[in-house]
Amino acid sequence: MIHKVKTRSQTELIDITSEIQELVRISGIDNGICMLYVPHTTAAVTINESADPSVKADILMVLNTVIPWKAGYRHLEGNSPAHIKSSIIGPSELLAIENGRLVLGTWQGIFFCEFDGPRTRKIHVKFIQ
Ligand code: ZN
């Protein structure tokens, strides 16, 4: 299925853990695999700490420092930093499902990563039983 994510900033991390967990619940799968895939070249998905929002702010700060918006890029569309961040973070995650729940560590959450927003984005969610 395709799950839509509405982003509000040019660059942001959005916690989608509860939305994906809800899709797992609706699927009725007790034990299996959940595959997340972002079909965009300027967005990504990652798993990291969701308890302290400072962590996602720090991740964005470092990405924006290492990959500045202006740096003599060749790509004429003008959004090369977004493409580079997308490749560094990556387009997919695989999660185990046990007893109808996503297997995540205590502090882990799933983040949709927007690098060229705001836009309405897609994430493919596939289940394997
Ligand atoms: Zn581009």
Side-chain angles (χ1 to χ4, degrees):
M1 76 189 69
I2 294 174
H3 182 64
K4 289 197 173 161
V5 181
K6 231 186 177 111
T7 66
R8 282 181 234 106
S9 306
Q10 183 194 62
T11 305
E12 68 178 319
L13 266 56
I14 299 170
D15 189 337
I16 58 169
T17 314
S18 57
E19 296 161 43
I20 303 301
Q21 181 56 57
E22 178 62 8
L23 296 177
V24 173
R25 191 189 66 76
I26 292 165
S27 79
I29 292 172
D30 274 336
N31 290 284
I33 298 283
C34 172
M35 185 207 72
L36 303 175
Y37 185 81
V38 173
H40 302 289
T41 61
T42 56
V45 62
T46 193
I47 294 172
N48 213 302
E49 173 161 346
S50 59
D52 178 4
S54 301
V55 173
K56 73 175 185 182
D58 287 347
I59 291 170
L60 289 174
M61 180 191 72
V62 169
L63 283 174
N64 289 331
T65 303
V66 173
I67 309 158
W69 197 253
K70 290 211 162 122
Y73 303 108
R74 295 186 185 190
H75 179 47
L76 291 175
E77 197 188 9
N79 61 353
S80 272
H83 290 298
I84 295 163
K85 290 170 187 167
S86 167
S87 267
I88 286 174
I89 301 298
S92 66
E93 291 289 354
L94 270 185
L95 294 108
I97 301 165
E98 280 179 19
N99 304 316
R101 304 280 309 168
L102 292 166
V103 177
L104 286 163
T106 307
W107 310 111
Q108 285 184 316
I110 306 164
F111 291 93
F112 185 90
C113 309
E114 174 62 83
F115 297 128
D116 194 16
R119 307 192 200 193
T120 299
R121 298 291 206 168
K122 294 177 202 159
I123 183 164
H124 292 274
V125 183
K126 286 268 185 199
F127 299 111
I128 302 166
Q129 202 161 13

